[in-house]
Amino acid sequence: MAYIVAATGNQHKLAEYAQLLDGQNIELKSLNDYPGYPEPEENGSSFEENARIKALAACKYCDVPAFADDSGLEVEALDGRPGIHSSRYAATDSERIAKLLKELDGVENRRARFVCVIAIAANGEVIETFEGEVKGTILTAPRGENGFGYDPIFQPDGFDKSFAELTQDEKNRISHRANAYAKALEFVEDEMSILDDEF
Ligand code: ITT
């Protein structure tokens, strides 16, 4: 059995990955299995740089293959903000949503996309990165209770529901994270031996 550590402190991301990896021949470990893990500073200037930082730090500390994602919401009318600062944009999910809706008050162009870059690291180096996106629009008020982050105000193209009104399974069929994951899985299946380290 191959092992991989999901290098995230975000339990919602972890739950999405647990579902995505369900049925694969890979055992998912989390940072909860490594008490005392010192989270690295995310000081990169792109999603890719931050994903690399997180995956590499976990791979080195846990001494097993690891992956991490850096993700966020890019709003067209805000020149791509909050982007890589999506998590730091405000203190809580509801404050992040309120702040974004205020910035977009009266703004006609509500186009946005979620981006996710997954980095996989093994044997002390980043092996590869994979990018996924999902395009949509920012609603004028939050809708739905599922998901996390900006999900209640993001409506993916082709749906009349917000991400937070979709089930995790439905979100996992179309999300930025799922799209990046599908690319990563294809790569891992071809290169399965990178996960064959002793645990
Ligand atoms: P880790 O770095 O520990 O993985 P994090 O939450 O800090 O956890 P990021 O630095 O990648 O993760 O920040 C991503 C932020 O972007 C996240 O906190 C949400 O606010 C937002 N975000 C990312 N993916 C999202 C999704 O699927 N739905 C809603 N919001 C999302």
Short mmCIF file of all heavy atoms in Angstrom, two decimals, residues 4-31 47 50-52 54-55 66-72 115-120 128-133 147-148 168-169 171-173 175-185 188:
data_model
loop_
_atom_site.label_atom_id
_atom_site.label_comp_id
_atom_site.label_asym_id
_atom_site.label_seq_id
_atom_site.Cartn_x
_atom_site.Cartn_y
_atom_site.Cartn_z
N ILE A 4 0.41 8.63 1.25
CA ILE A 4 0.71 10.03 0.92
C ILE A 4 0.10 10.91 2.01
O ILE A 4 -0.96 10.60 2.55
CB ILE A 4 0.21 10.42 -0.49
CG1 ILE A 4 0.84 11.73 -0.93
CG2 ILE A 4 -1.32 10.48 -0.56
CD1 ILE A 4 0.86 11.96 -2.44
N VAL A 5 0.84 11.96 2.35
CA VAL A 5 0.36 12.91 3.36
C VAL A 5 -0.28 14.10 2.65
O VAL A 5 0.32 14.68 1.74
CB VAL A 5 1.52 13.43 4.24
CG1 VAL A 5 1.06 14.57 5.13
CG2 VAL A 5 2.07 12.31 5.09
N ALA A 6 -1.49 14.44 3.07
CA ALA A 6 -2.13 15.66 2.58
C ALA A 6 -1.67 16.80 3.49
O ALA A 6 -2.04 16.85 4.67
CB ALA A 6 -3.65 15.53 2.64
N ALA A 7 -0.83 17.66 2.94
CA ALA A 7 -0.22 18.71 3.76
C ALA A 7 -1.13 19.93 3.82
O ALA A 7 -0.90 20.93 3.15
CB ALA A 7 1.15 19.10 3.19
N THR A 8 -2.19 19.81 4.59
CA THR A 8 -3.10 20.94 4.76
C THR A 8 -3.60 21.02 6.19
O THR A 8 -3.84 19.98 6.82
CB THR A 8 -4.30 20.86 3.79
OG1 THR A 8 -5.16 21.98 4.04
CG2 THR A 8 -5.09 19.57 3.94
N GLY A 9 -3.74 22.22 6.67
CA GLY A 9 -4.33 22.42 7.99
C GLY A 9 -5.83 22.69 7.86
O GLY A 9 -6.50 22.95 8.85
N ASN A 10 -6.33 22.67 6.63
CA ASN A 10 -7.73 22.98 6.36
C ASN A 10 -8.55 21.68 6.30
O ASN A 10 -8.41 20.89 5.36
CB ASN A 10 -7.80 23.76 5.03
CG ASN A 10 -9.20 24.18 4.67
OD1 ASN A 10 -10.17 23.47 4.93
ND2 ASN A 10 -9.31 25.34 4.06
N GLN A 11 -9.37 21.46 7.33
CA GLN A 11 -10.10 20.19 7.45
C GLN A 11 -11.10 20.00 6.31
O GLN A 11 -11.45 18.88 5.96
CB GLN A 11 -10.82 20.11 8.81
CG GLN A 11 -9.87 20.13 10.00
CD GLN A 11 -8.75 19.07 9.90
OE1 GLN A 11 -9.00 17.89 9.74
NE2 GLN A 11 -7.50 19.52 9.99
N HIS A 12 -11.58 21.09 5.73
CA HIS A 12 -12.52 20.98 4.61
C HIS A 12 -11.82 20.45 3.36
O HIS A 12 -12.34 19.60 2.65
CB HIS A 12 -13.17 22.33 4.31
CG HIS A 12 -13.93 22.90 5.46
ND1 HIS A 12 -15.20 22.49 5.79
CD2 HIS A 12 -13.58 23.83 6.38
CE1 HIS A 12 -15.62 23.16 6.85
NE2 HIS A 12 -14.65 23.97 7.23
N LYS A 13 -10.62 20.98 3.12
CA LYS A 13 -9.83 20.46 2.00
C LYS A 13 -9.57 18.97 2.22
O LYS A 13 -9.69 18.16 1.30
CB LYS A 13 -8.46 21.16 1.90
CG LYS A 13 -8.45 22.54 1.32
CD LYS A 13 -6.97 22.97 1.17
CE LYS A 13 -6.79 24.39 0.73
NZ LYS A 13 -5.37 24.77 0.64
N LEU A 14 -9.21 18.65 3.46
CA LEU A 14 -8.88 17.26 3.78
C LEU A 14 -10.07 16.33 3.50
O LEU A 14 -9.91 15.26 2.90
CB LEU A 14 -8.48 17.17 5.26
CG LEU A 14 -7.82 15.88 5.71
CD1 LEU A 14 -6.53 15.61 4.95
CD2 LEU A 14 -7.52 15.94 7.22
N ALA A 15 -11.26 16.78 3.87
CA ALA A 15 -12.47 15.98 3.63
C ALA A 15 -12.70 15.81 2.13
O ALA A 15 -13.08 14.72 1.66
CB ALA A 15 -13.67 16.66 4.28
N GLU A 16 -12.46 16.87 1.36
CA GLU A 16 -12.65 16.75 -0.09
C GLU A 16 -11.64 15.75 -0.67
O GLU A 16 -11.98 14.91 -1.50
CB GLU A 16 -12.52 18.12 -0.76
CG GLU A 16 -13.69 19.04 -0.41
CD GLU A 16 -13.71 20.37 -1.15
OE1 GLU A 16 -12.83 20.62 -2.03
OE2 GLU A 16 -14.58 21.18 -0.85
N TYR A 17 -10.40 15.83 -0.20
CA TYR A 17 -9.39 14.89 -0.71
C TYR A 17 -9.70 13.45 -0.29
O TYR A 17 -9.47 12.52 -1.05
CB TYR A 17 -7.98 15.29 -0.27
CG TYR A 17 -7.42 16.41 -1.09
CD1 TYR A 17 -7.08 17.63 -0.53
CD2 TYR A 17 -7.24 16.26 -2.47
CE1 TYR A 17 -6.59 18.67 -1.29
CE2 TYR A 17 -6.76 17.30 -3.25
CZ TYR A 17 -6.43 18.49 -2.65
OH TYR A 17 -5.95 19.51 -3.43
N ALA A 18 -10.19 13.28 0.93
CA ALA A 18 -10.52 11.93 1.41
C ALA A 18 -11.56 11.31 0.47
O ALA A 18 -11.46 10.14 0.10
CB ALA A 18 -11.04 11.99 2.84
N GLN A 19 -12.52 12.12 0.06
CA GLN A 19 -13.55 11.60 -0.85
C GLN A 19 -12.96 11.35 -2.26
O GLN A 19 -13.23 10.32 -2.87
CB GLN A 19 -14.71 12.58 -0.95
CG GLN A 19 -15.87 12.00 -1.76
CD GLN A 19 -17.02 12.98 -1.88
OE1 GLN A 19 -16.83 14.13 -2.27
NE2 GLN A 19 -18.20 12.54 -1.54
N LEU A 20 -12.13 12.27 -2.71
CA LEU A 20 -11.53 12.10 -4.05
C LEU A 20 -10.64 10.85 -4.10
O LEU A 20 -10.61 10.14 -5.10
CB LEU A 20 -10.71 13.34 -4.43
CG LEU A 20 -11.51 14.59 -4.79
CD1 LEU A 20 -10.62 15.82 -4.82
CD2 LEU A 20 -12.20 14.42 -6.14
N LEU A 21 -9.93 10.58 -3.00
CA LEU A 21 -9.00 9.44 -2.99
C LEU A 21 -9.68 8.12 -2.64
O LEU A 21 -9.06 7.06 -2.70
CB LEU A 21 -7.88 9.70 -1.98
CG LEU A 21 -6.67 10.44 -2.55
CD1 LEU A 21 -6.06 11.39 -1.55
CD2 LEU A 21 -5.62 9.43 -3.00
N ASP A 22 -10.96 8.21 -2.26
CA ASP A 22 -11.69 7.00 -1.87
C ASP A 22 -11.67 5.99 -3.02
O ASP A 22 -11.96 6.34 -4.16
CB ASP A 22 -13.14 7.39 -1.52
CG ASP A 22 -13.85 6.25 -0.83
OD1 ASP A 22 -13.17 5.50 -0.10
OD2 ASP A 22 -15.07 6.10 -1.03
N GLY A 23 -11.28 4.76 -2.71
CA GLY A 23 -11.28 3.74 -3.76
C GLY A 23 -9.94 3.62 -4.48
O GLY A 23 -9.72 2.69 -5.25
N GLN A 24 -9.04 4.59 -4.25
CA GLN A 24 -7.69 4.50 -4.84
C GLN A 24 -6.83 3.62 -3.93
O GLN A 24 -7.09 3.49 -2.74
CB GLN A 24 -7.04 5.88 -4.95
CG GLN A 24 -7.82 6.87 -5.77
CD GLN A 24 -8.00 6.41 -7.21
OE1 GLN A 24 -7.12 5.77 -7.77
NE2 GLN A 24 -9.16 6.68 -7.77
N ASN A 25 -5.78 3.08 -4.51
CA ASN A 25 -4.91 2.22 -3.73
C ASN A 25 -3.82 3.03 -3.03
O ASN A 25 -2.64 2.69 -3.08
CB ASN A 25 -4.30 1.16 -4.65
CG ASN A 25 -3.68 0.03 -3.86
OD1 ASN A 25 -4.10 -0.23 -2.73
ND2 ASN A 25 -2.67 -0.61 -4.43
N ILE A 26 -4.24 4.14 -2.43
CA ILE A 26 -3.30 5.04 -1.76
C ILE A 26 -3.88 5.38 -0.40
O ILE A 26 -5.03 5.83 -0.32
CB ILE A 26 -3.13 6.36 -2.54
CG1 ILE A 26 -2.64 6.09 -3.97
CG2 ILE A 26 -2.18 7.30 -1.83
CD1 ILE A 26 -2.69 7.30 -4.88
N GLU A 27 -3.12 5.16 0.66
CA GLU A 27 -3.64 5.52 1.98
C GLU A 27 -3.33 6.98 2.27
O GLU A 27 -2.18 7.42 2.16
CB GLU A 27 -3.03 4.63 3.07
CG GLU A 27 -3.65 4.96 4.42
CD GLU A 27 -3.25 3.98 5.50
OE1 GLU A 27 -2.90 2.82 5.16
OE2 GLU A 27 -3.27 4.36 6.68
N LEU A 28 -4.38 7.71 2.62
CA LEU A 28 -4.23 9.14 2.87
C LEU A 28 -3.89 9.39 4.34
O LEU A 28 -4.63 9.02 5.24
CB LEU A 28 -5.53 9.86 2.52
CG LEU A 28 -5.52 11.38 2.61
CD1 LEU A 28 -4.54 11.98 1.61
CD2 LEU A 28 -6.91 11.93 2.37
N LYS A 29 -2.73 10.02 4.56
CA LYS A 29 -2.36 10.46 5.91
C LYS A 29 -2.61 11.95 5.98
O LYS A 29 -2.64 12.64 4.95
CB LYS A 29 -0.86 10.21 6.16
CG LYS A 29 -0.46 8.76 6.06
CD LYS A 29 -0.73 8.07 7.36
CE LYS A 29 -0.43 6.58 7.26
NZ LYS A 29 -0.90 5.86 8.43
N SER A 30 -2.77 12.45 7.20
CA SER A 30 -2.93 13.90 7.31
C SER A 30 -1.89 14.41 8.31
O SER A 30 -1.21 13.62 8.98
CB SER A 30 -4.33 14.26 7.78
OG SER A 30 -4.41 14.19 9.18
N LEU A 31 -1.78 15.72 8.40
CA LEU A 31 -0.81 16.29 9.35
C LEU A 31 -1.20 15.97 10.79
O LEU A 31 -0.36 16.05 11.68
CB LEU A 31 -0.70 17.81 9.12
CG LEU A 31 -0.09 18.20 7.77
CD1 LEU A 31 -0.14 19.70 7.57
CD2 LEU A 31 1.34 17.68 7.65
N PHE A 47 0.26 30.71 -6.68
CA PHE A 47 -0.31 29.48 -6.12
C PHE A 47 0.72 28.36 -6.20
O PHE A 47 0.88 27.58 -5.26
CB PHE A 47 -1.57 29.06 -6.91
CG PHE A 47 -2.74 29.99 -6.73
CD1 PHE A 47 -3.23 30.74 -7.80
CD2 PHE A 47 -3.39 30.09 -5.51
CE1 PHE A 47 -4.32 31.58 -7.65
CE2 PHE A 47 -4.49 30.92 -5.34
CZ PHE A 47 -4.96 31.67 -6.42
N ASN A 50 3.51 28.58 -3.52
CA ASN A 50 3.03 28.22 -2.18
C ASN A 50 2.72 26.73 -2.07
O ASN A 50 2.98 26.11 -1.03
CB ASN A 50 1.79 29.05 -1.81
CG ASN A 50 2.16 30.47 -1.41
OD1 ASN A 50 3.27 30.71 -0.95
ND2 ASN A 50 1.25 31.40 -1.61
N ALA A 51 2.17 26.14 -3.12
CA ALA A 51 1.89 24.70 -3.09
C ALA A 51 3.20 23.93 -2.96
O ALA A 51 3.30 22.96 -2.19
CB ALA A 51 1.14 24.28 -4.35
N ARG A 52 4.23 24.39 -3.67
CA ARG A 52 5.56 23.75 -3.58
C ARG A 52 6.11 23.83 -2.16
O ARG A 52 6.64 22.86 -1.63
CB ARG A 52 6.55 24.43 -4.55
CG ARG A 52 6.35 24.05 -5.99
CD ARG A 52 7.26 24.88 -6.90
NE ARG A 52 7.22 24.34 -8.25
CZ ARG A 52 8.01 23.39 -8.71
NH1 ARG A 52 8.98 22.90 -7.94
NH2 ARG A 52 7.90 22.93 -9.94
N LYS A 54 4.53 24.14 0.66
CA LYS A 54 3.78 23.31 1.62
C LYS A 54 4.06 21.82 1.41
O LYS A 54 4.25 21.06 2.37
CB LYS A 54 2.27 23.60 1.51
CG LYS A 54 1.90 24.97 2.03
CD LYS A 54 0.38 25.18 2.10
CE LYS A 54 -0.18 25.78 0.84
NZ LYS A 54 -1.59 26.21 0.98
N ALA A 55 4.10 21.39 0.15
CA ALA A 55 4.32 19.96 -0.12
C ALA A 55 5.73 19.54 0.30
O ALA A 55 5.93 18.49 0.92
CB ALA A 55 4.10 19.66 -1.60
N ALA A 66 4.30 13.58 -0.07
CA ALA A 66 3.26 14.50 0.41
C ALA A 66 2.74 15.32 -0.76
O ALA A 66 3.42 15.49 -1.77
CB ALA A 66 3.86 15.44 1.47
N PHE A 67 1.52 15.78 -0.60
CA PHE A 67 1.01 16.75 -1.57
C PHE A 67 0.34 17.88 -0.81
O PHE A 67 -0.08 17.72 0.34
CB PHE A 67 0.05 16.11 -2.58
CG PHE A 67 -1.31 15.75 -2.02
CD1 PHE A 67 -2.39 16.61 -2.16
CD2 PHE A 67 -1.49 14.55 -1.36
CE1 PHE A 67 -3.64 16.28 -1.64
CE2 PHE A 67 -2.73 14.21 -0.83
CZ PHE A 67 -3.81 15.07 -0.97
N ALA A 68 0.28 19.03 -1.46
CA ALA A 68 -0.38 20.19 -0.86
C ALA A 68 -1.09 20.93 -1.96
O ALA A 68 -0.71 20.80 -3.14
CB ALA A 68 0.65 21.10 -0.21
N ASP A 69 -2.12 21.66 -1.59
CA ASP A 69 -2.68 22.57 -2.59
C ASP A 69 -2.66 23.99 -2.08
O ASP A 69 -2.81 24.24 -0.89
CB ASP A 69 -4.06 22.13 -3.10
CG ASP A 69 -5.28 22.66 -2.35
OD1 ASP A 69 -5.30 23.84 -1.96
OD2 ASP A 69 -6.22 21.87 -2.20
N ASP A 70 -2.41 24.90 -2.99
CA ASP A 70 -2.65 26.29 -2.70
C ASP A 70 -3.77 26.72 -3.65
O ASP A 70 -3.74 26.41 -4.84
CB ASP A 70 -1.40 27.15 -2.90
CG ASP A 70 -1.53 28.45 -2.13
OD1 ASP A 70 -1.68 28.39 -0.89
OD2 ASP A 70 -1.50 29.53 -2.75
N SER A 71 -4.76 27.36 -3.10
CA SER A 71 -5.95 27.64 -3.89
C SER A 71 -6.51 28.99 -3.51
O SER A 71 -6.12 29.58 -2.50
CB SER A 71 -6.99 26.54 -3.67
OG SER A 71 -7.09 26.22 -2.29
N GLY A 72 -7.44 29.47 -4.32
CA GLY A 72 -8.05 30.76 -4.00
C GLY A 72 -9.00 31.20 -5.08
O GLY A 72 -9.18 30.52 -6.10
N VAL A 115 -9.05 28.77 -8.39
CA VAL A 115 -7.84 28.12 -8.90
C VAL A 115 -7.26 27.23 -7.80
O VAL A 115 -7.31 27.58 -6.62
CB VAL A 115 -6.76 29.18 -9.28
CG1 VAL A 115 -5.53 28.50 -9.87
CG2 VAL A 115 -7.33 30.20 -10.24
N CYS A 116 -6.73 26.10 -8.21
CA CYS A 116 -6.05 25.21 -7.25
C CYS A 116 -4.80 24.66 -7.93
O CYS A 116 -4.86 24.16 -9.04
CB CYS A 116 -6.98 24.05 -6.89
SG CYS A 116 -6.18 22.79 -5.87
N VAL A 117 -3.67 24.81 -7.25
CA VAL A 117 -2.45 24.16 -7.73
C VAL A 117 -2.03 23.12 -6.70
O VAL A 117 -1.86 23.44 -5.52
CB VAL A 117 -1.30 25.16 -7.98
CG1 VAL A 117 -0.02 24.42 -8.35
CG2 VAL A 117 -1.68 26.13 -9.09
N ILE A 118 -1.92 21.89 -7.15
CA ILE A 118 -1.45 20.80 -6.28
C ILE A 118 0.02 20.54 -6.59
O ILE A 118 0.39 20.44 -7.76
CB ILE A 118 -2.25 19.50 -6.54
CG1 ILE A 118 -3.72 19.67 -6.12
CG2 ILE A 118 -1.62 18.32 -5.79
CD1 ILE A 118 -4.59 18.46 -6.44
N ALA A 119 0.83 20.46 -5.54
CA ALA A 119 2.24 20.05 -5.71
C ALA A 119 2.42 18.70 -5.02
O ALA A 119 1.89 18.49 -3.93
CB ALA A 119 3.17 21.08 -5.09
N ILE A 120 3.15 17.81 -5.68
CA ILE A 120 3.49 16.52 -5.07
C ILE A 120 4.99 16.49 -4.83
O ILE A 120 5.78 16.82 -5.73
CB ILE A 120 3.13 15.33 -5.99
CG1 ILE A 120 1.64 15.35 -6.34
CG2 ILE A 120 3.49 14.01 -5.33
CD1 ILE A 120 1.23 14.20 -7.25
N GLU A 128 6.17 17.33 -9.17
CA GLU A 128 5.35 17.92 -10.24
C GLU A 128 4.27 18.79 -9.63
O GLU A 128 3.93 18.62 -8.44
CB GLU A 128 4.72 16.77 -11.05
CG GLU A 128 4.14 17.12 -12.40
CD GLU A 128 5.11 17.82 -13.33
OE1 GLU A 128 5.84 17.14 -14.07
OE2 GLU A 128 5.13 19.07 -13.31
N THR A 129 3.73 19.71 -10.42
CA THR A 129 2.58 20.50 -9.96
C THR A 129 1.46 20.41 -11.01
O THR A 129 1.74 20.16 -12.19
CB THR A 129 2.94 21.99 -9.74
OG1 THR A 129 3.35 22.56 -10.99
CG2 THR A 129 4.04 22.15 -8.72
N PHE A 130 0.23 20.60 -10.56
CA PHE A 130 -0.94 20.43 -11.44
C PHE A 130 -1.93 21.54 -11.11
O PHE A 130 -2.23 21.77 -9.94
CB PHE A 130 -1.62 19.08 -11.18
CG PHE A 130 -0.66 17.94 -11.23
CD1 PHE A 130 0.00 17.55 -10.07
CD2 PHE A 130 -0.38 17.29 -12.42
CE1 PHE A 130 0.93 16.52 -10.10
CE2 PHE A 130 0.54 16.25 -12.46
CZ PHE A 130 1.19 15.87 -11.30
N GLU A 131 -2.46 22.19 -12.16
CA GLU A 131 -3.39 23.29 -11.92
C GLU A 131 -4.79 22.95 -12.37
O GLU A 131 -4.98 22.35 -13.44
CB GLU A 131 -2.91 24.55 -12.65
CG GLU A 131 -3.86 25.73 -12.42
CD GLU A 131 -3.31 27.07 -12.88
OE1 GLU A 131 -2.08 27.28 -12.79
OE2 GLU A 131 -4.12 27.91 -13.31
N GLY A 132 -5.76 23.32 -11.57
CA GLY A 132 -7.16 23.16 -11.95
C GLY A 132 -7.91 24.46 -11.72
O GLY A 132 -7.49 25.29 -10.90
N GLU A 133 -8.99 24.66 -12.46
CA GLU A 133 -9.79 25.87 -12.26
C GLU A 133 -11.25 25.55 -12.47
O GLU A 133 -11.61 24.53 -13.08
CB GLU A 133 -9.38 26.99 -13.23
CG GLU A 133 -9.70 26.68 -14.67
CD GLU A 133 -9.69 27.90 -15.60
OE1 GLU A 133 -9.28 28.99 -15.21
OE2 GLU A 133 -10.14 27.73 -16.75
N GLY A 147 -19.82 22.99 2.13
CA GLY A 147 -18.52 23.50 1.70
C GLY A 147 -17.86 24.40 2.72
O GLY A 147 -18.08 24.28 3.93
N PHE A 148 -17.06 25.34 2.23
CA PHE A 148 -16.31 26.23 3.11
C PHE A 148 -15.90 27.47 2.33
O PHE A 148 -16.22 27.60 1.13
CB PHE A 148 -15.07 25.52 3.67
CG PHE A 148 -13.99 25.25 2.65
CD1 PHE A 148 -12.86 26.07 2.56
CD2 PHE A 148 -14.09 24.19 1.78
CE1 PHE A 148 -11.85 25.82 1.63
CE2 PHE A 148 -13.09 23.93 0.84
CZ PHE A 148 -11.98 24.75 0.76
N GLN A 168 -20.97 17.66 -1.32
CA GLN A 168 -19.51 17.55 -1.52
C GLN A 168 -19.21 16.72 -2.76
O GLN A 168 -18.30 17.02 -3.52
CB GLN A 168 -18.86 16.90 -0.29
CG GLN A 168 -17.35 16.82 -0.42
CD GLN A 168 -16.67 16.34 0.84
OE1 GLN A 168 -16.38 17.10 1.75
NE2 GLN A 168 -16.44 15.04 0.90
N ASP A 169 -20.03 15.69 -2.97
CA ASP A 169 -19.85 14.83 -4.14
C ASP A 169 -20.05 15.63 -5.44
O ASP A 169 -19.27 15.52 -6.38
CB ASP A 169 -20.85 13.67 -4.04
CG ASP A 169 -20.61 12.64 -5.12
OD1 ASP A 169 -19.44 12.26 -5.29
OD2 ASP A 169 -21.57 12.25 -5.80
N LYS A 171 -19.79 18.93 -5.81
CA LYS A 171 -18.70 19.90 -5.93
C LYS A 171 -17.44 19.18 -6.42
O LYS A 171 -16.69 19.70 -7.25
CB LYS A 171 -18.45 20.59 -4.58
CG LYS A 171 -17.31 21.61 -4.62
CD LYS A 171 -17.02 22.24 -3.27
CE LYS A 171 -15.73 23.05 -3.32
NZ LYS A 171 -15.30 23.54 -2.01
N ASN A 172 -17.21 17.98 -5.90
CA ASN A 172 -16.01 17.22 -6.25
C ASN A 172 -16.00 16.72 -7.69
O ASN A 172 -15.01 16.16 -8.13
CB ASN A 172 -15.85 16.04 -5.30
CG ASN A 172 -14.87 16.33 -4.17
OD1 ASN A 172 -14.16 17.32 -4.22
ND2 ASN A 172 -14.83 15.47 -3.18
N ARG A 173 -17.10 16.89 -8.40
CA ARG A 173 -17.09 16.51 -9.82
C ARG A 173 -16.62 17.65 -10.70
O ARG A 173 -16.21 17.43 -11.83
CB ARG A 173 -18.49 16.07 -10.26
CG ARG A 173 -18.79 14.65 -9.82
CD ARG A 173 -20.13 14.17 -10.34
NE ARG A 173 -20.79 13.40 -9.30
CZ ARG A 173 -22.07 13.43 -9.01
NH1 ARG A 173 -22.89 14.18 -9.71
NH2 ARG A 173 -22.55 12.71 -8.04
N SER A 175 -15.01 20.87 -9.27
CA SER A 175 -14.25 21.96 -8.64
C SER A 175 -12.83 22.09 -9.18
O SER A 175 -12.28 21.17 -9.79
CB SER A 175 -14.21 21.78 -7.12
OG SER A 175 -13.22 20.82 -6.78
N HIS A 176 -12.25 23.24 -8.91
CA HIS A 176 -10.84 23.51 -9.20
C HIS A 176 -9.95 22.44 -8.57
O HIS A 176 -9.00 21.97 -9.16
CB HIS A 176 -10.49 24.91 -8.67
CG HIS A 176 -10.90 25.16 -7.24
ND1 HIS A 176 -12.14 24.82 -6.76
CD2 HIS A 176 -10.24 25.67 -6.17
CE1 HIS A 176 -12.23 25.13 -5.48
NE2 HIS A 176 -11.07 25.64 -5.10
N ARG A 177 -10.29 22.07 -7.32
CA ARG A 177 -9.49 21.06 -6.59
C ARG A 177 -9.61 19.71 -7.29
O ARG A 177 -8.62 19.00 -7.49
CB ARG A 177 -9.99 20.99 -5.14
CG ARG A 177 -9.18 20.11 -4.22
CD ARG A 177 -9.41 20.45 -2.75
NE ARG A 177 -8.94 21.81 -2.47
CZ ARG A 177 -9.73 22.86 -2.30
NH1 ARG A 177 -11.05 22.72 -2.29
NH2 ARG A 177 -9.22 24.05 -2.11
N ALA A 178 -10.84 19.35 -7.68
CA ALA A 178 -11.07 18.07 -8.36
C ALA A 178 -10.36 18.04 -9.71
O ALA A 178 -9.82 17.01 -10.12
CB ALA A 178 -12.57 17.84 -8.54
N ASN A 179 -10.36 19.18 -10.41
CA ASN A 179 -9.70 19.22 -11.73
C ASN A 179 -8.18 19.06 -11.59
O ASN A 179 -7.56 18.33 -12.37
CB ASN A 179 -10.02 20.54 -12.45
CG ASN A 179 -11.46 20.59 -12.88
OD1 ASN A 179 -12.09 19.56 -13.11
ND2 ASN A 179 -12.01 21.78 -12.99
N ALA A 180 -7.61 19.75 -10.60
CA ALA A 180 -6.17 19.59 -10.37
C ALA A 180 -5.88 18.16 -9.92
O ALA A 180 -4.90 17.53 -10.35
CB ALA A 180 -5.68 20.59 -9.32
N TYR A 181 -6.75 17.65 -9.07
CA TYR A 181 -6.56 16.29 -8.55
C TYR A 181 -6.59 15.25 -9.68
O TYR A 181 -5.80 14.30 -9.68
CB TYR A 181 -7.66 15.98 -7.52
CG TYR A 181 -7.66 14.54 -7.08
CD1 TYR A 181 -6.78 14.11 -6.09
CD2 TYR A 181 -8.50 13.61 -7.67
CE1 TYR A 181 -6.75 12.78 -5.71
CE2 TYR A 181 -8.48 12.29 -7.30
CZ TYR A 181 -7.60 11.88 -6.32
OH TYR A 181 -7.56 10.56 -5.95
N ALA A 182 -7.51 15.42 -10.63
CA ALA A 182 -7.62 14.45 -11.73
C ALA A 182 -6.31 14.38 -12.51
O ALA A 182 -5.84 13.30 -12.89
CB ALA A 182 -8.78 14.83 -12.65
N LYS A 183 -5.70 15.56 -12.72
CA LYS A 183 -4.41 15.59 -13.43
C LYS A 183 -3.33 14.92 -12.59
O LYS A 183 -2.50 14.16 -13.09
CB LYS A 183 -3.99 17.03 -13.73
CG LYS A 183 -4.89 17.73 -14.73
CD LYS A 183 -4.41 19.17 -14.94
CE LYS A 183 -5.42 19.95 -15.76
NZ LYS A 183 -5.10 21.39 -15.86
N ALA A 184 -3.34 15.19 -11.27
CA ALA A 184 -2.33 14.60 -10.39
C ALA A 184 -2.49 13.08 -10.34
O ALA A 184 -1.50 12.35 -10.37
CB ALA A 184 -2.46 15.19 -8.98
N LEU A 185 -3.73 12.62 -10.30
CA LEU A 185 -3.96 11.18 -10.20
C LEU A 185 -3.45 10.45 -11.44
O LEU A 185 -2.82 9.40 -11.34
CB LEU A 185 -5.46 10.91 -10.00
CG LEU A 185 -5.80 9.44 -9.79
CD1 LEU A 185 -5.18 8.91 -8.50
CD2 LEU A 185 -7.32 9.24 -9.76
N VAL A 188 0.21 10.22 -11.04
CA VAL A 188 0.60 9.27 -9.99
C VAL A 188 0.40 7.83 -10.45
O VAL A 188 1.22 6.95 -10.17
CB VAL A 188 -0.19 9.55 -8.69
CG1 VAL A 188 -0.04 8.41 -7.70
CG2 VAL A 188 0.30 10.84 -8.06
#
